[in-house]
Amino acid sequence: MMREKWRHHLDYVVTLLGFGIGSGSFVKFPYLCMRNGGGAFLIPFILFTFIGTIPVVFVEMVIGQFSQKGPVEVWNLCPPFKGIGVGTVVGTWIHASYYIVIFTWFVYYFYVSFSNSLPWAHCDNDWNTPTCISQYADVNTTTGLNVTDNGTSYTVGNHYADINGTVAGMTAEEEFWRFQVLQMTDGLETIGSIRVPLTISLAISCTVIFLCVFRGIKVTGKLVYVTVAIPCILVTVFLIRGCLLPGSADGIYFYIVPKLETLTRPKVWIEGCNFALYSLGIAMGSIVTLSSHSRFGNNCFRDAIVVCIGDMLVTILIGFAFFAIIGHVGYQRGVPIEAFESSGFNLAFIVFPQVLTYLPLPQLWSALTFLTLITLELDTLVPPIENIVVAVRDRFPRFSERRWLVIGILLTTYFLFGLIYVTQGGIYVLTLVDWFSYFPSIALFATIECIVVGWCYGTHRLEKDIKTMWGKTTPRVMMIAIKFVCPVLLLSVFCYSLYSYRPPKYGDYDYPPWATGVGWMVSLASILPFPAVFVWKVWNTKGDNLKEKLTNSMEPSNEWRKENLTEAPHSEALQPITSVADKHEDV
């Protein structure tokens, strides 16, 4: 069956851009900048985008487009490594299972943004505690201590307190997140009941995602114009509005002026390299899958440069908008920019809501902010789902005409599994899964992928494949980067991820040992297919001894090339380099 193709080449480029930008650029990038010296972090991020990200993305585009296969079958280029493809599919399912819950939280916050007053902006709600800290004073209060800090007043229940929290307590935004949205338990030992409002939001989220993807790339390829355009337009609006507010210059100054002393710390360079390499989701199979729908003669080299630089520029633009508004809020509160340093869920669901309460028309800005996060999260979710669907269809072609069924079953599993995440203790489960789902599988797979393509398959073969597809060679420096620079960078990131490992933790809660064991099982779920398939493929390859079996198994299978014989403009370049028709058996 002929593989579905993009209606227009721009559909493919915009989809990859949306996947690269994602909600991570809005949530993780500002935190990394604040933690690593502001503008100083931009230096390694930009540098490694050019010397690391572009070559790796280019490799995944080439092998996906040449093979016209998904994340598993693409490894016909070196069959023993098909386990990497299986592992990425397992990992993708795990990632998407909790990404949908994050999408659910965004939907819930978007819904409550239409309240008469933002429920996290004050301490007059049923769920608030007596020590709740709010920026607003209770005008009806007749008791309590009146304290101001740099002209800004705060209330603790019926009492004022300063920004530094003279009276101990949580902010109104944190209490809304913990006591109303999640209704958190004390730990993983008490999972609690299912949160009905979040379950409804989860059902809505799964339905929306199904409607977006069940018709295939011909629909999602057009949908991304909306889901990518909306965040870009809104970020530009945030930037313009932020620049018109007092104090915004301080935030932008922090963002663009590097603290050069921080560049002496290896951690800054490693984290810059890590974010640059993984912002486009390398080693997760999504780039391979999306590229497999491209025309065989498409110029991947141009696409890799456009997508990587486009992703970098939009990420930097998001940083400008974020720090302009943070600078204004810091000016109002009389605190430095570093006071807003927070990561992950805290940044998205505590710091962002807190910042929004300081803006004029906070309900409008809240709705726009969470609409932006919803569309970005949708861009993040669509390629992984397509990744799994294509892997199933490649292996079981009879499902090609029943795409809706595969997606329906997939989203049903996400909904059922998501019920665990929307319990009162679900945040502890989600944090545990998030902690181990990427570690260390993604760094391991990315390193092996680069080594296999650059050394086992060989850059000489890769160059022939490239010339076969669009009739031109790529600059020699690109092949040097693929063979030498990228493996070193990826290996450094992998070693650093092992070195910097620490046991899982959520806030002040330390996970018990048995939970850490469960976490390692989550991690191994995506890693174990690799050694298992490797041994199976080598063992079932013909040869008189283990060395001969291993050597023969490393050759590309006939399936690697035969799919493209009818499409290639230069068919003589497509003949197998060695005859291996009888050396491989399908797993």
Side-chain angles (χ1 to χ4, degrees):
M1 181 179 176
M2 196 69 180
R3 199 172 193 83
E4 188 180 19
K5 302 295 183 185
W6 298 100
R7 287 184 182 270
H8 193 282
H9 177 65
L10 190 60
D11 299 355
Y12 163 65
V13 174
V14 174
T15 301
L16 276 174
L17 270 175
F19 176 61
I21 298 167
S23 59
S25 297
F26 215 89
V27 174
K28 189 175 183 180
F29 179 71
Y31 163 67
L32 290 173
C33 286
M34 284 188 281
R35 191 169 77 171
N36 293 294
F41 183 74
L42 294 179
I43 295 174
F45 171 58
I46 294 172
L47 175 64
F48 289 123
T49 294
F50 283 98
I51 69 174
T53 307
I54 291 177
V56 176
V57 169
F58 175 64
V59 164
E60 294 202 354
M61 286 181 172
V62 168
I63 63 177
Q65 182 174 303
F66 186 82
S67 67
Q68 300 286 290
K69 293 293 185 180
V72 179
E73 299 303 318
V74 73
W75 287 101
N76 285 322
L77 68 88
C78 196
F81 293 91
K82 272 191 176 183
I84 293 178
V86 177
T88 58
V89 171
V90 174
T92 296
W93 185 91
I94 295 171
H95 302 150
S97 71
Y98 66 84
Y99 282 173
I100 286 183
V101 177
I102 298 173
F103 185 91
T104 297
W105 293 335
F106 290 151
V107 169
Y108 183 81
Y109 269 78
F110 178 71
Y111 168 74
V112 299
S113 296
F114 293 94
S115 305
N116 290 330
S117 63
L118 294 178
W120 58 76
H122 54 82
C123 293
D124 297 329
N125 303 289
D126 295 338
W127 59 81
N128 291 128
T129 64
T131 57
C132 172
I133 301 173
S134 170
Q135 69 171 94
Y136 297 109
D138 184 352
V139 296
N140 296 319
T141 297
T142 58
T143 62
L145 178 62
N146 187 347
V147 178
T148 60
D149 182 57
N150 291 323
T152 303
S153 298
Y154 299 87
T155 62
V156 182
N158 289 333
H159 303 273
Y160 296 101
D162 63 34
I163 185 63
N164 298 315
T166 301
V167 180
M170 298 181 190
T171 63
E173 293 81 9
E174 186 174 1
E175 289 200 353
F176 176 75
W177 167 241
R178 295 172 65 93
F179 302 145
Q180 172 60 13
V181 179
L182 302 178
Q183 294 188 3
M184 290 175 59
T185 59
D186 294 331
L188 195 59
E189 297 82 358
T190 308
I191 201 68
S193 59
I194 294 175
R195 294 279 293 116
V196 174
L198 294 182
T199 304
I200 295 172
S201 295
L202 178 62
I204 293 172
S205 301
C206 290
T207 303
V208 168
I209 293 169
F210 177 83
L211 295 175
C212 290
V213 301
F214 87 101
R215 294 294 299 274
I217 62 169
K218 291 182 179 178
V219 173
T220 56
K222 300 304 178 186
L223 178 67
V224 291
Y225 289 101
V226 178
T227 58
V228 172
I230 288 177
C232 290
I233 292 171
L234 293 179
V235 165
T236 304
V237 172
F238 292 155
L239 175 59
I240 295 172
R241 180 67 182 108
C243 289
L244 297 176
L245 296 171
S248 60
D250 295 334
I252 294 176
Y253 181 85
F254 175 87
Y255 178 54
I256 64 175
V257 177
K259 295 180 179 178
L260 296 178
E261 63 274 11
T262 62
L263 293 177
T264 61
R265 304 202 311 255
K267 181 180 179 181
V268 175
W269 293 90
I270 291 291
E271 291 195 346
C273 178
N274 189 35
F275 185 80
L277 287 170
Y278 297 116
S279 64
L280 274 159
I282 65 169
M284 295 182 67
S286 296
I287 297 176
V288 170
T289 297
L290 296 176
S291 300
S292 72
H293 295 293
S294 294
R295 291 181 302 104
F296 188 74
N298 178 54
N299 187 335
C300 299
F301 183 61
R302 173 197 60 205
D303 293 342
I305 293 175
V306 169
V307 169
C308 292
I309 294 180
D311 172 63
M312 178 188 71
L313 292 177
V314 174
T315 300
I316 292 173
L317 177 67
I318 289 173
F320 272 105
F322 177 85
F323 282 98
I325 293 177
I326 285 293
H328 167 67
V329 176
Y331 169 81
Q332 277 196 320
R333 293 179 51 175
V335 296
I337 304 300
E338 292 86 345
F340 295 95
E341 181 181 320
S342 189
S343 64
F345 305 134
N346 285 347
L347 184 62
F349 300 107
I350 297 176
V351 176
F352 279 173
Q354 186 177 32
V355 168
L356 294 169
T357 60
Y358 283 86
L359 298 176
L361 300 175
Q363 290 93 334
L364 173 62
W365 289 108
S366 178
L368 292 177
T369 297
F370 287 104
L371 177 62
T372 300
L373 290 169
I374 285 171
T375 53
L376 288 171
E377 192 71 12
L378 190 59
D379 291 331
T380 302
L381 279 166
V382 168
I385 291 174
E386 182 70 19
N387 195 28
I388 297 173
V389 172
V390 167
V392 172
R393 292 172 67 184
D394 282 349
R395 192 62 182 169
F396 306 102
R398 62 181 178 274
F399 287 109
S400 296
E401 300 298 328
R402 297 183 178 181
R403 176 187 174 90
W404 63 270
L405 180 61
V406 176
I407 294 175
I409 294 174
L410 180 63
L411 287 171
T412 299
T413 64
Y414 286 153
F415 177 80
L416 295 176
F417 203 78
L419 293 177
I420 301 174
Y421 295 135
V422 297
T423 58
Q424 292 172 305
I427 185 65
Y428 300 107
V429 181
L430 191 148
T431 301
L432 181 67
V433 174
D434 180 53
W435 198 280
F436 285 97
S437 61
Y438 284 96
F439 172 82
S441 58
I442 297 300
L444 175 64
F445 290 161
T447 305
I448 295 174
E449 176 186 283
C450 219
I451 293 173
V452 169
V453 174
W455 292 88
C456 298
Y457 185 68
T459 52
H460 62 290
R461 287 172 172 167
L462 195 66
E463 287 181 293
K464 287 184 178 181
D465 296 342
I466 291 167
K467 193 166 186 178
T468 297
M469 288 192 286
W470 64 86
K472 296 180 181 179
T473 58
T474 55
R476 188 64 185 164
V477 67
M478 180 63 73
M479 292 302 160
I480 293 174
I482 291 170
K483 197 166 186 176
F484 298 103
V485 178
C486 294
V488 171
L489 291 177
L490 289 164
L491 186 60
S492 299
V493 171
F494 174 61
C495 292
Y496 177 75
S497 68
L498 295 177
Y499 169 76
S500 61
Y501 167 77
R502 64 189 190 278
K505 188 175 183 179
Y506 181 82
D508 295 328
Y509 175 73
D510 293 313
Y511 283 79
W514 65 266
T516 302
V518 172
W520 278 109
M521 291 173 63
V522 172
S523 182
L524 291 174
S526 59
I527 294 176
L528 288 180
F530 165 55
V533 174
F534 188 94
V535 172
W536 175 263
K537 295 297 290 187
V538 171
W539 183 260
N540 286 279
T541 300
K542 291 186 177 180
D544 295 332
N545 52 56
L546 181 59
K547 182 179 179 181
E548 188 174 332
K549 283 175 176 285
L550 182 62
T551 302
N552 290 340
S553 69
M554 292 294 173
E555 295 293 340
S557 68
N558 279 347
E559 287 77 8
W560 170 244
R561 294 171 177 270
K562 71 181 182 180
E563 297 291 334
N564 306 300
L565 289 173
T566 59
E567 287 193 71
H570 309 288
S571 60
E572 68 275 6
L574 282 173
Q575 301 307 314
I577 293 174
T578 57
S579 177
V580 291
D582 60 342
K583 292 181 181 178
H584 299 289
E585 296 179 10
D586 289 338
V587 176

